[in-house]
């Protein structure tokens, strides 16, 4: 009698869990644009969501820290004037991607079939790739050091492009035979992971070697659905998460060097379909809870965090789950990258962000400044007259200055409130 051998993997028991209702973001009108995009971007501090608005282009930015101090006047303002405007596309822009290692280098692609690489710091066009895509570009992805691009296009061709040379290094026609949009990303091994559709409209995933595009390393059919599969890849764990537009599930796979190379791990399922998805960088995760991924699932009217965790019994920092990961600091300047230099991302350790759990209830207390202990030494009664006259005079001067500053702040707050009321009256009068 033969026994099936279970593949050993530290990620075999990864499970997903939706955050509690009080950690979700309510009353957000997510965009209804039909563009196959994630509609969401996230970093350890902020969450940005494309929202419904006339003419398009509107987005909302939310802080991820939920401990706020609300001043007497309303601090929020609608930002209508950009810091810098990048003009170069003749049609709507649907793809934006920051360079992984160079400062202020941004890629954009739109309905004009053109890829433009910008220096956002100066507003200049660094490179423009005009003649490489005969039809609409579906996806663009940098490799780990930003020397190559992987693109997919409506002409069903997967291309590997050297943007600085303006050359197509390799290409594969009909990596997936279906007519629906295809997606492609680089893996840490340098392979290309793709999602697409078969000729019979079944969703499919593939793994390709750019040095040999003749045959796929792996090709797997999944299911029958119209939703485009958006891949989110974690190079530290080599796990790829597939989120289908309109699906209510997230499927995740581990990519290894062992056949069949793309190993199914598990599926997170929920009741409501997703309109889009945001993926938190590794440095924004809670390493003390063995969290290896965090998604921000967009519903029709809200955004819901979903946490992926590896169950571990130990309270120690898990080195095998958290190798050094790319940090926020760039490795190159824009001019250095444009001149031909390449550099790997600047790595940071997540060990410093680890907070050991305390096996007791957490209580938030405020320090009472009146509870300060007297200085050590022999105790004696002391009056204000015991202090030197110079110190007493300095103290009185500081108290007077503080009082004056408080009065000035209160006056400015009243003036701001009055101006806001006048503005509201003017707006209401013009409606």
């Amino acid at each position: 009698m033969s026994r099936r051998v279970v593949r050993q993997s530290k990620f075999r028991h990864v499970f997903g869990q939706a955050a509690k209702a009080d950690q979700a973001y309510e009353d957000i009108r997510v965009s209804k644009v039909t563009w196959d995009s994630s509609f969401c971007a996230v970093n350890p501090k902020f969450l940005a969501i494309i929202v419904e608005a006339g003419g398009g282009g509107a987005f909302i930015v939310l802080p991820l820290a939920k401990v706020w101090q609300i001043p007497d006047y309303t601090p929020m303002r609608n930002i209508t004037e950009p810091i810098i405007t990048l003009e170069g596309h003749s049609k709507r822009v649907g793809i934006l991607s920051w360079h992984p290692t160079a400062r202020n280098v941004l890629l954009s692609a739109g309905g004009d079939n053109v890829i433009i690489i910008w220096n956002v710091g100066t507003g200049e066009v660094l490179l423009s790739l005009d003649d490489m895509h005969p039809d609409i570009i579906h996806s663009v992805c940098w490799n780990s050091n930003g020397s190559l691009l992987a693109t997919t296009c409506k002409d069903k061709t997967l291309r590997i492009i050297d943007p600085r040379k303006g050359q197509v290094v390799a290409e594969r026609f009909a990596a997936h035979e279906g007519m629906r949009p295809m997606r492609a990303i680089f893996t840490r091994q340098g392979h290309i992971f793709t999602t697409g559709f078969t000729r019979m409209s079944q969703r499919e995933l593939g793994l390709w070697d750019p040095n040999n595009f003749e045959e796929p390393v792996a090709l797997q059919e999944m299911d029958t659905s119209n939703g485009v599969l958006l891949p989110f890849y974690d190079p530290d764990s080599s796990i790829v998460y597939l989120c289908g537009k309109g699906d209510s599930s997230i499927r995740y796979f581990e990519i290894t060097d062992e056949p069949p190379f793309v190993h199914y791990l598990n599926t997170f399922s929920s009741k409501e379909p997703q309109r889009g998805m945001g993926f938190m960088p590794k440095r924004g995760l809670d390493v003390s809870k063995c969290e290896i991924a965090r998604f921000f699932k967009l519903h029709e009217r809200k955004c819901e965090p979903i946490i992926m965790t590896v169950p571990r019994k130990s309270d120690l920092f898990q080195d095998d789950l958290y190798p050094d990961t790319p940090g926020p600091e760039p490795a190159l300047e824009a001019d250095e990258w444009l001149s031909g230099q390449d550099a790997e991302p600047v790595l940071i350790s997540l060990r410093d962000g680890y907070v050991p759990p305390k096996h007791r209830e957490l209580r938030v207390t405020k320090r009472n400044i009146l509870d300060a202990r007297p200085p050590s030494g022999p105790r004696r009664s002391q009056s204000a007259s015991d202090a030197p006259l110079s110190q007493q005079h300095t103290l009185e001067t500081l108290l007077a200055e503080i009082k004056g500053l408080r009065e000035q702040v209160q006056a400015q707050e009243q003036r701001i409130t009055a101006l806001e009321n006048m503005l509201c009256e003017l707006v209401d009068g013009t409606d």
Side-chain angles (χ1 to χ4, degrees), residues 266-277:
N266 209 337
T267 300
F268 167 81
S269 299
S270 58
K271 295 181 180 179
E272 299 183 26
Q274 53 225 17
R275 299 283 298 275
M277 195 72 70

PDB file of all heavy atoms in Angstrom, residues 266-277:
ATOM      1  N   ASN A 266      -3.405  27.182  -0.013  1.00  0.00           N
ATOM      2  CA  ASN A 266      -4.713  27.241   0.625  1.00  0.00           C
ATOM      3  C   ASN A 266      -5.537  28.346  -0.034  1.00  0.00           C
ATOM      4  O   ASN A 266      -5.062  29.049  -0.922  1.00  0.00           O
ATOM      5  CB  ASN A 266      -4.577  27.503   2.125  1.00  0.00           C
ATOM      6  CG  ASN A 266      -5.725  26.915   2.932  1.00  0.00           C
ATOM      7  OD1 ASN A 266      -6.802  26.686   2.395  1.00  0.00           O
ATOM      8  ND2 ASN A 266      -5.499  26.682   4.206  1.00  0.00           N
ATOM      9  N   THR A 267      -6.769  28.497   0.451  1.00  0.00           N
ATOM     10  CA  THR A 267      -7.677  29.520  -0.045  1.00  0.00           C
ATOM     11  C   THR A 267      -8.348  30.217   1.121  1.00  0.00           C
ATOM     12  O   THR A 267      -8.844  29.555   2.039  1.00  0.00           O
ATOM     13  CB  THR A 267      -8.751  28.916  -0.975  1.00  0.00           C
ATOM     14  OG1 THR A 267      -8.127  28.298  -2.096  1.00  0.00           O
ATOM     15  CG2 THR A 267      -9.714  29.992  -1.465  1.00  0.00           C
ATOM     16  N   PHE A 268      -8.327  31.536   1.091  1.00  0.00           N
ATOM     17  CA  PHE A 268      -9.119  32.306   2.038  1.00  0.00           C
ATOM     18  C   PHE A 268     -10.429  32.685   1.361  1.00  0.00           C
ATOM     19  O   PHE A 268     -10.425  33.254   0.264  1.00  0.00           O
ATOM     20  CB  PHE A 268      -8.380  33.575   2.475  1.00  0.00           C
ATOM     21  CG  PHE A 268      -9.250  34.557   3.207  1.00  0.00           C
ATOM     22  CD1 PHE A 268      -9.523  34.389   4.555  1.00  0.00           C
ATOM     23  CD2 PHE A 268      -9.814  35.636   2.543  1.00  0.00           C
ATOM     24  CE1 PHE A 268     -10.340  35.277   5.227  1.00  0.00           C
ATOM     25  CE2 PHE A 268     -10.627  36.542   3.203  1.00  0.00           C
ATOM     26  CZ  PHE A 268     -10.902  36.359   4.549  1.00  0.00           C
ATOM     27  N   SER A 269     -11.549  32.380   2.014  1.00  0.00           N
ATOM     28  CA  SER A 269     -12.864  32.649   1.427  1.00  0.00           C
ATOM     29  C   SER A 269     -13.675  33.549   2.344  1.00  0.00           C
ATOM     30  O   SER A 269     -13.571  33.466   3.573  1.00  0.00           O
ATOM     31  CB  SER A 269     -13.629  31.338   1.187  1.00  0.00           C
ATOM     32  OG  SER A 269     -12.933  30.509   0.281  1.00  0.00           O
ATOM     33  N   SER A 270     -14.461  34.391   1.735  1.00  0.00           N
ATOM     34  CA  SER A 270     -15.385  35.246   2.478  1.00  0.00           C
ATOM     35  C   SER A 270     -16.707  35.285   1.721  1.00  0.00           C
ATOM     36  O   SER A 270     -16.862  34.644   0.683  1.00  0.00           O
ATOM     37  CB  SER A 270     -14.796  36.649   2.644  1.00  0.00           C
ATOM     38  OG  SER A 270     -14.507  37.224   1.385  1.00  0.00           O
ATOM     39  N   LYS A 271     -17.651  36.056   2.223  1.00  0.00           N
ATOM     40  CA  LYS A 271     -18.985  36.048   1.635  1.00  0.00           C
ATOM     41  C   LYS A 271     -19.147  37.080   0.524  1.00  0.00           C
ATOM     42  O   LYS A 271     -19.868  36.844  -0.440  1.00  0.00           O
ATOM     43  CB  LYS A 271     -20.032  36.303   2.726  1.00  0.00           C
ATOM     44  CG  LYS A 271     -20.100  35.203   3.780  1.00  0.00           C
ATOM     45  CD  LYS A 271     -21.168  35.516   4.815  1.00  0.00           C
ATOM     46  CE  LYS A 271     -21.242  34.427   5.873  1.00  0.00           C
ATOM     47  NZ  LYS A 271     -22.261  34.740   6.912  1.00  0.00           N
ATOM     48  N   GLU A 272     -18.486  38.225   0.650  1.00  0.00           N
ATOM     49  CA  GLU A 272     -18.718  39.322  -0.286  1.00  0.00           C
ATOM     50  C   GLU A 272     -17.616  39.385  -1.342  1.00  0.00           C
ATOM     51  O   GLU A 272     -16.446  39.142  -1.044  1.00  0.00           O
ATOM     52  CB  GLU A 272     -18.792  40.646   0.472  1.00  0.00           C
ATOM     53  CG  GLU A 272     -19.923  40.697   1.479  1.00  0.00           C
ATOM     54  CD  GLU A 272     -20.010  42.048   2.152  1.00  0.00           C
ATOM     55  OE1 GLU A 272     -19.569  43.041   1.542  1.00  0.00           O
ATOM     56  OE2 GLU A 272     -20.500  42.120   3.288  1.00  0.00           O
ATOM     57  N   PRO A 273     -17.966  39.718  -2.579  1.00  0.00           N
ATOM     58  CA  PRO A 273     -16.948  39.817  -3.642  1.00  0.00           C
ATOM     59  C   PRO A 273     -16.059  41.038  -3.448  1.00  0.00           C
ATOM     60  O   PRO A 273     -16.438  42.013  -2.787  1.00  0.00           O
ATOM     61  CB  PRO A 273     -17.777  39.924  -4.918  1.00  0.00           C
ATOM     62  CG  PRO A 273     -19.083  40.515  -4.468  1.00  0.00           C
ATOM     63  CD  PRO A 273     -19.321  39.980  -3.089  1.00  0.00           C
ATOM     64  N   GLN A 274     -14.882  40.992  -4.037  1.00  0.00           N
ATOM     65  CA  GLN A 274     -13.926  42.085  -3.898  1.00  0.00           C
ATOM     66  C   GLN A 274     -13.908  42.940  -5.159  1.00  0.00           C
ATOM     67  O   GLN A 274     -13.883  42.435  -6.270  1.00  0.00           O
ATOM     68  CB  GLN A 274     -12.530  41.541  -3.591  1.00  0.00           C
ATOM     69  CG  GLN A 274     -12.023  40.495  -4.560  1.00  0.00           C
ATOM     70  CD  GLN A 274     -11.383  39.311  -3.873  1.00  0.00           C
ATOM     71  OE1 GLN A 274     -11.561  39.093  -2.682  1.00  0.00           O
ATOM     72  NE2 GLN A 274     -10.626  38.533  -4.629  1.00  0.00           N
ATOM     73  N   ARG A 275     -13.895  44.270  -4.956  1.00  0.00           N
ATOM     74  CA  ARG A 275     -13.804  45.207  -6.066  1.00  0.00           C
ATOM     75  C   ARG A 275     -12.358  45.509  -6.417  1.00  0.00           C
ATOM     76  O   ARG A 275     -12.032  45.914  -7.532  1.00  0.00           O
ATOM     77  CB  ARG A 275     -14.516  46.512  -5.683  1.00  0.00           C
ATOM     78  CG  ARG A 275     -15.993  46.354  -5.369  1.00  0.00           C
ATOM     79  CD  ARG A 275     -16.795  46.214  -6.636  1.00  0.00           C
ATOM     80  NE  ARG A 275     -16.668  47.404  -7.471  1.00  0.00           N
ATOM     81  CZ  ARG A 275     -17.425  48.495  -7.326  1.00  0.00           C
ATOM     82  NH1 ARG A 275     -18.338  48.535  -6.382  1.00  0.00           N
ATOM     83  NH2 ARG A 275     -17.271  49.521  -8.125  1.00  0.00           N
ATOM     84  N   GLY A 276     -11.486  45.361  -5.448  1.00  0.00           N
ATOM     85  CA  GLY A 276     -10.064  45.622  -5.628  1.00  0.00           C
ATOM     86  C   GLY A 276      -9.314  45.134  -4.404  1.00  0.00           C
ATOM     87  O   GLY A 276      -9.905  44.620  -3.450  1.00  0.00           O
ATOM     88  N   MET A 277      -7.979  45.313  -4.422  1.00  0.00           N
ATOM     89  CA  MET A 277      -7.172  44.778  -3.317  1.00  0.00           C
ATOM     90  C   MET A 277      -5.883  45.583  -3.182  1.00  0.00           C
ATOM     91  O   MET A 277      -5.259  45.959  -4.174  1.00  0.00           O
ATOM     92  CB  MET A 277      -6.836  43.307  -3.590  1.00  0.00           C
ATOM     93  CG  MET A 277      -6.331  42.554  -2.384  1.00  0.00           C
ATOM     94  SD  MET A 277      -7.614  42.214  -1.148  1.00  0.00           S
ATOM     95  CE  MET A 277      -8.617  40.996  -2.017  1.00  0.00           C
TER      96      MET A 277
END
